[in-house]
Amino acid sequence: MRAIVQRVSSAEVRDKASGDGGSIGPGLLLLVGIHVDDTEAQAKKLAEKVVNLRIFNDADGKMKLSMLDIPGLDVLAVSNFTVYGDCSKSRRPSFIASAPYAKGKDLFDRFVLFLREHGFTAPTGVFGADMEVTLVNDGPVTVIVDV
């Protein structure tokens, strides 16, 4: 599994067709890709890594704190099969490394459940939908987390 992790002041995702989605204030926006070979254990490991990432500033302005250290933060998780897009052979990305719909949805849902077990509301977009994501990147801080 892979997540593009962005520290945000706020973020929102909406399904273009239905308007369904979610939003957060300060916290992390996650663009989450599921690989064809991923397992539930990797979903749990990714959730653990994300909530324990020390990418929030302490009183001295140093990135030493995780989400678990700061009350009031949340996570917005957005499924994104293009995170595994491979552009190494041509200008058109190949998505064969991305999990098929059913497996991807199952593992994404489990990943979100693991985030919620840490006490976050973890709103999401609509799996597999054409969505719009709006964010205010804080820092900017953006990292890629692979498990």
Side-chain angles (χ1 to χ4, degrees), residues 50-69:
V50 166
V51 300
N52 284 289
L53 274 177
R54 294 173 23 170
I55 60 173
F56 291 92
N57 295 346
D58 65 9
D60 296 325
K62 305 242 187 241
M63 286 197 303
K64 291 185 175 180
L65 302 177
S66 76
M67 295 190 69
L68 299 175
D69 299 319

Side-chain angles (χ1 to χ4, degrees), residues 4-99:
I4 310 298
V5 179
Q6 295 182 300
R7 189 177 76 185
V8 297
S9 298
S10 63
E12 178 179 21
V13 62
R14 293 281 170 231
D15 175 359
K16 287 183 181 179
S18 69
D20 293 341
S23 63
I24 62 168
L28 296 177
L29 168 65
L30 310 176
L31 302 177
V32 181
I34 315 297
H35 191 272
V36 293
D37 297 327
D38 282 339
T39 64
E40 182 175 348
Q42 287 165 306
K44 185 172 189 168
K45 185 175 181 179
L46 182 62
E48 290 290 328
K49 284 189 91 157
V50 166
V51 300
N52 284 289
L53 274 177
R54 294 173 23 170
I55 60 173
F56 291 92
N57 295 346
D58 65 9
D60 296 325
K62 305 242 187 241
M63 286 197 303
K64 291 185 175 180
L65 302 177
S66 76
M67 295 190 69
L68 299 175
D69 299 319
I70 305 171
L73 298 181
D74 209 349
V75 182
L76 177 62
V78 179
S79 63
N80 191 325
F81 77 96
T82 64
V83 167
Y84 275 106
D86 179 3
C87 301
S88 63
K89 295 183 180 174
S90 70
R91 292 176 285 182
R92 182 170 183 239
S94 168
F95 301 107
I96 60 173
S98 297

